[in-house]
Amino acid sequence: MTSNEDKLHTRSIASVLAIFDILIADTDIAGIEIDNIVLDSREADQGSMFIAHQGTHVNGNKYIQNALDNGAKFILVNTDNNEQHGEKESVGEALIVRVYELEKHIGSICSAFHQYVSNKLQCVAITGTNGKTSVAHICAQLSAACGEDAGTIGTMGVAFYTKGKAAVKISDTINTTPDIASMHYLAHLVAHRGGKRLCIEASSHGLHQKRLRGFKVEVAAFTNLTQDHLDYHPSLAEYAQAKRLLLKQDGVRYAVLNADDKESHHWIEEAPQDTTICLCAVEQPSSEALLQSYAMHPQTFTYCMALNPRFTPNGSEFELETSWGNAAVSLPLIGQFNIANLLTALSALLLQGGSFEQLVNAVSSLAGVPGRMEVFESVKHGNMIVDYAHTPDALKQALLAARQHVIGQLIVIFGCGGDRDNAKRSQMGKVAEDLADKIILTQDNSRNELPEDIIADIQQGITKMSKLSIDLERTSAIKHAYLNSHSDDLIVVAGKGHEEYLELNSVREYYNEREYVKQLTMELRG
């Protein structure tokens, strides 16, 4: 995760152990400095402290030797025996120290090492099944446009936004919400570049595994809840509960909720009384009716609503009504769900003291997020949209949005990932049948499953076989659909979005759908 030029500071072993009131008599060891903290032994090097923490499936103790082999100088291991707290063992030039109930302290260790960076940033964390990435990037774009540079951490890595400039990717991420050590390090990278705000995608996995421990988050935002990740969470109810853990995050003062999603009622019931809540809505008749429905709750409520949305070939227009003011808004992004995403981002910034006038003026300059309803225009054939939709609701929203912008036929190309929640496959098939004119099923990340078996599962939700065709080779499916489309058709290629790989038989092969579609539409223009 870290490169030499990105190691921003060092700490002595003695200063780290002081957090636990552990002393080292040997001054030679006490003076050893570390320049990064890792939870993955493969990332350890000669300046590392390795924390052998208990993961979801594997205990980090298993990888202590690997960390030592990679040069780690300092290793923390857990003990459940209070009497063993502070016990030390020297292994060559490295030191191994036992810490009582280590897991509870990892967040505070990482926070202290990185100079309590989350206290210095205005942090917004976004959770929900869909929209996390878009909200994070819209929020960061708007922040930068108003003079406060901002970073994002999430599915697409770490991006940094500066006023008047395109986003710069400053790091990759393995997970939507990286591990605790990486979170604090990446936040420090953003702050080191001059960032004032950090917009974080908080996945249900990340919240359940407490990857935001030690992080101070001022705004907790919820987008929506639909079925996903039931291969990890035992039920939809437990999946929802995992997301609501964000309310318990250190520092939360504000909650931004999608009032069009009934799950928001549970958030309000669990939010502390001193939380200020902003209700966002696209489907409500008026702010008065919206606020009245929550009058019995003790929290302070504000609102941010879009009324009378009108869809254009290039985006949407609507009347914005908020607790901070009203305005006519033109949004250069496709789909009603992007109106909802904008409302969530605007609300977070307004709650943190942003200027209503400046924020509204910045909306017209928003750029789409790569791989999120990203349009590639054609002259002779149909335009193409590349989107990350890989859940039933995400596919539904993508197709509903596309339908508002198409005159001819709506064509959808998608597959489903292997070794994941297979219950959603037939549901996605039904969504495609209900909302598209033509369906092409193809390969996605089949992983260890046969793509034919995955497609057979999707077909269980499709009854109108006249709409359906199958082409397992993804680029072939896309090219065939494109060449056989008309100029007033619209083709939605769903599932890959920003990703740059296909995972087949547990091997990742380079594949950039955005590049392929862009090249295809440019080369074959008539």
Side-chain angles (χ1 to χ4, degrees):
M1 181 67 72
T2 59
S3 61
N4 290 331
E5 60 268 25
D6 288 333
K7 292 177 179 178
L8 307 176
H9 45 247
T10 61
R11 295 285 185 276
S12 69
I13 287 178
S15 66
V16 174
L17 289 183
I19 297 171
F20 306 106
D21 295 323
I22 297 173
L23 301 176
I24 301 180
D26 189 327
T27 55
D28 291 336
I29 294 177
I32 293 176
E33 292 188 331
I34 54 174
D35 55 26
N36 68 324
I37 300 175
V38 298
L39 304 185
D40 186 334
S41 63
R42 293 168 294 186
E43 295 178 357
D45 58 24
Q46 293 183 355
S48 298
M49 175 172 78
F50 172 61
I51 301 179
H53 84 119
Q54 176 61 57
T56 306
H57 303 293
V58 180
N59 191 316
N61 289 351
K62 180 179 179 181
Y63 300 102
I64 289 174
Q65 188 57 54
N66 189 45
L68 291 169
D69 292 343
N70 287 337
K73 293 181 178 180
F74 185 29
I75 295 175
L76 296 183
V77 298
N78 180 65
T79 177
D80 293 324
N81 184 346
N82 192 28
E83 294 181 358
Q84 293 179 337
H85 180 68
E87 288 185 0
K88 298 176 283 291
E89 175 187 357
S90 295
V91 181
E93 296 182 356
L95 182 69
I96 300 176
V97 179
R98 294 185 182 278
V99 175
Y100 178 60
E101 296 184 336
L102 174 62
E103 293 297 314
K104 295 181 179 180
H105 303 290
I106 295 175
S108 60
I109 298 169
C110 296
S111 180
F113 181 84
H114 289 293
Q115 302 172 336
Y116 305 98
V117 63
S118 66
N119 294 354
K120 304 171 185 177
L121 293 165
Q122 290 186 292
C123 293
V124 178
I126 307 105
T127 195
T129 306
N130 302 311
K132 296 186 293 296
T133 300
S134 293
V135 172
H137 284 258
I138 290 171
C139 191
Q141 282 190 62
L142 290 174
S143 177
C146 294
E148 293 185 325
D149 292 352
T152 65
I153 300 177
T155 306
M156 298 176 64
V158 183
F160 191 78
Y161 286 88
T162 303
K163 186 174 184 178
K165 297 181 180 179
V168 176
K169 186 175 182 179
I170 59 177
S171 181
D172 291 313
T173 53
I174 297 174
N175 300 308
T176 298
T177 309
D179 66 48
I180 308 168
S182 298
M183 282 296 302
H184 289 271
Y185 160 71
L186 294 171
H188 204 118
L189 276 188
V190 170
H192 186 66
R193 283 176 169 258
K196 303 300 182 185
R197 179 171 281 103
L198 182 62
C199 307
I200 302 164
E201 296 178 47
S203 69
S204 61
H205 293 68
L207 291 167
H208 183 255
Q209 295 171 15
K210 301 178 181 178
R211 297 182 199 161
L212 290 180
R213 279 182 296 193
F215 234 84
K216 184 179 178 181
V217 172
E218 189 174 31
V219 181
F222 166 70
T223 59
N224 51 60
L225 182 78
T226 61
Q227 180 174 323
D228 197 15
H229 299 306
L230 296 190
D231 53 316
Y232 178 86
H233 301 284
S235 67
L236 186 62
E238 290 181 76
Y239 171 50
Q241 184 62 56
K243 291 194 171 296
R244 294 198 297 275
L245 290 172
L246 186 56
L247 284 170
K248 299 179 180 179
Q249 190 66 33
D250 291 343
V252 171
R253 299 173 57 197
Y254 309 110
V256 178
L257 306 179
N258 176 7
D260 295 327
D261 192 305
K262 61 182 181 181
E263 170 62 16
S264 289
H265 292 279
H266 296 295
W267 282 71
I268 291 170
E269 289 170 359
E270 294 187 16
Q273 291 189 16
D274 60 353
T275 306
T276 298
I277 295 173
C278 186
L279 300 170
C280 300
V282 182
E283 301 174 2
Q284 303 294 324
S286 68
S287 57
E288 291 82 4
L290 179 62
L291 291 175
Q292 184 61 38
S293 62
Y294 293 98
M296 72 293 295
H297 294 280
Q299 297 93 343
T300 299
F301 288 91
T302 56
Y303 62 91
C304 186
M305 303 180 64
L307 300 178
N308 304 316
R310 301 169 298 281
F311 299 96
T312 68
N314 298 314
S316 62
E317 298 172 349
F318 56 90
E319 281 76 55
L320 177 68
E321 292 192 4
T322 80
S323 297
W324 297 267
N326 303 332
V329 171
S330 179
L331 174 65
L333 302 177
I334 287 176
Q336 180 169 302
F337 60 86
N338 266 323
I339 299 178
N341 291 336
L342 172 67
L343 297 181
T344 302
L346 275 175
S347 299
L349 295 169
L350 288 166
L351 286 167
Q352 291 183 317
S355 161
F356 179 80
E357 183 177 1
Q358 282 186 313
L359 287 167
V360 169
N361 289 338
V363 170
S364 61
S365 65
L366 284 172
V369 180
R372 300 301 197 278
M373 293 301 287
E374 187 173 7
V375 180
F376 294 86
E377 295 184 356
S378 174
V379 176
K380 185 176 181 180
H381 301 288
N383 287 351
M384 304 187 79
I385 292 176
V386 173
D387 191 67
Y388 188 52
H390 59 282
T391 67
D393 186 67
L395 185 63
K396 176 183 177 181
Q397 297 306 323
L399 294 177
L400 285 173
R403 178 62 75 184
Q404 294 165 328
H405 301 269
V406 64
I407 298 172
Q409 289 195 315
L410 178 59
I411 303 157
V412 62
I413 304 169
F414 75 101
C416 287
D419 303 332
R420 297 294 188 270
D421 178 14
N422 59 13
K424 68 183 181 183
R425 295 173 185 173
S426 61
Q427 295 178 31
M428 292 181 71
K430 186 177 189 310
V431 167
E433 180 180 77
D434 290 344
L435 299 177
D437 299 305
K438 292 183 179 179
I439 305 166
I440 302 173
L441 299 181
T442 189
Q443 168 74 268
D444 202 320
N445 298 327
S446 57
R447 300 184 176 89
N448 291 306
E449 289 192 66
L450 291 173
E452 294 90 344
D453 292 343
I454 296 172
I455 286 175
D457 287 342
I458 300 172
Q459 285 183 266
Q460 295 299 309
I462 301 172
T463 59
K464 298 176 183 178
M465 295 302 164
S466 59
K467 287 188 172 186
L468 176 65
S469 62
I470 298 171
D471 188 340
L472 290 179
E473 211 291 302
R474 195 168 176 99
T475 54
S476 171
I478 294 170
K479 186 174 184 178
H480 184 266
Y482 177 69
L483 291 177
N484 286 278
S485 66
H486 300 288
S487 59
D488 58 357
D489 294 338
L490 187 56
I491 304 164
V492 176
V493 190
K496 297 303 298 175
H498 66 283
E499 290 181 345
E500 297 183 355
Y501 65 87
L502 268 174
E503 187 172 344
L504 316 175
N505 297 317
S506 294
V507 176
R508 290 191 174 188
E509 302 174 356
Y510 179 77
Y511 173 73
N512 187 319
E513 195 146 276
R514 298 173 58 247
E515 283 185 355
Y516 178 74
V517 169
K518 181 179 181 180
Q519 182 181 11
L520 187 67
T521 53
M522 291 181 67
E523 285 185 355
L524 299 177
R525 285 185 174 180

